[in-house]
Amino acid sequence: MILKGQLHTHTTFSDGALTPQETADTYARLGYDFIAITDHDHLLKPSYGDAIGRIDTRLLVFTGIELTVHCRKGYVHVSRIEGDKEVLHIFNHPADVDVSLKDCIRIIGEVAEQYPIDAVEITTHGFYTPQFDIPEIPYPKVAADDSHTLLGCGRGWIELEAPLDRDEIIRAVKQGRFMNCFAGDKARRKSAADLRLIRFA
């Protein structure tokens, strides 16, 4: 089953403009199969987990949180996304760290000493940042929206072949068995047949 997914969204439970239900409704209209809601830890409002649990949608919804992680630069953001048993940690939008590529790679390594980094975003608010899509960053690279508003939904996402199951999806991401996709970018967006090559590689 080819799944379309979004791993980085914000809602009114931190600094987003859409409620959790509105966020799910928006991504459902865009044809997604799963989303992760990853509101900021330092802005989080009470009943966050309950609000996510009350979402009425056909989507598979992951509960997540965007952690503020202190490092030599000051702080960076890491999403922690909960499966049923598996947990996924993604180093978010490295371009926002605003240091040289060499220093950014060092900071990713520093953060990896605190959290088991499983993947690194190669997007900033859904826009591709190719300078981080390099082998020197030794993690799967994921495209994500980091959406805070309706306009920010649907720019960058992943597609993968897996059952609609939280742990199966997380394992596919950890193993790099997915494809990055970007709105309006047909050159980088490949076919479902290419996904199957990734799946069985």
Side-chain angles (χ1 to χ4, degrees):
M1 183 176 185
I2 305 297
L3 304 176
K4 179 178 181 179
Q6 180 55 243
L7 295 172
H8 193 172
T9 68
H10 295 275
T11 76
T12 50
F13 275 76
S14 65
D15 60 350
L18 304 176
T19 66
Q21 184 65 56
E22 290 168 338
T23 300
D25 291 345
T26 298
Y27 281 101
R29 283 195 300 272
L30 292 171
Y32 283 71
D33 299 294
F34 66 88
I35 61 169
I37 295 182
T38 53
D39 277 304
H40 293 280
D41 56 357
H42 64 288
L43 298 173
L44 208 57
K45 295 175 182 174
S47 305
Y48 176 58
D50 292 342
I52 294 174
R54 287 195 302 270
I55 295 173
D56 181 15
T57 181
R58 64 167 181 79
L59 300 181
L60 183 67
V61 179
F62 289 86
T63 299
I65 192 165
E66 188 169 28
L67 303 166
T68 305
V69 179
H70 294 278
C71 64
R72 73 181 71 183
K73 170 63 179 172
Y75 69 88
V76 296
H77 288 149
V78 174
S79 282
R80 176 185 169 91
I81 297 170
E82 304 281 346
D84 295 316
K85 295 180 181 176
E86 299 277 348
V87 178
L88 180 67
H89 289 90
I90 302 175
F91 189 102
N92 289 341
H93 39 64
D96 280 6
V97 181
D98 197 23
V99 295
S100 69
L101 179 59
K102 188 176 179 180
D103 283 344
C104 188
I105 292 171
R106 286 177 180 160
I107 289 170
I108 292 172
E110 179 186 343
V111 171
E113 293 175 2
Q114 302 177 59
Y115 295 95
I117 298 298
D118 301 302
V120 172
E121 280 186 358
I122 52 164
T123 43
T124 300
H125 295 287
F127 297 106
Y128 184 50
T129 51
Q131 64 267 37
F132 301 103
D133 194 3
I134 56 174
E136 288 79 7
I137 298 177
Y139 300 100
K141 287 46 166 223
V142 300
D145 279 343
D146 188 14
S147 63
H148 289 72
T149 65
L150 183 63
L151 188 61
C153 298
R155 292 174 174 165
W157 66 91
I158 63 170
E159 293 185 9
L160 53 86
E161 185 171 7
L164 192 60
D165 174 272
R166 289 181 179 83
D167 289 341
E168 290 287 346
I169 292 168
I170 286 177
R171 280 193 284 270
V173 173
K174 287 181 176 180
Q175 294 166 8
R177 293 188 288 108
F178 62 88
M179 181 173 66
N180 289 316
C181 303
F182 301 88
D185 188 352
K186 293 181 180 177
R188 201 161 18 251
R189 194 175 193 289
K190 300 178 182 176
S191 69
D194 293 322
L195 258 181
R196 291 192 174 87
L197 289 176
I198 295 170
R199 167 66 180 80
F200 295 112

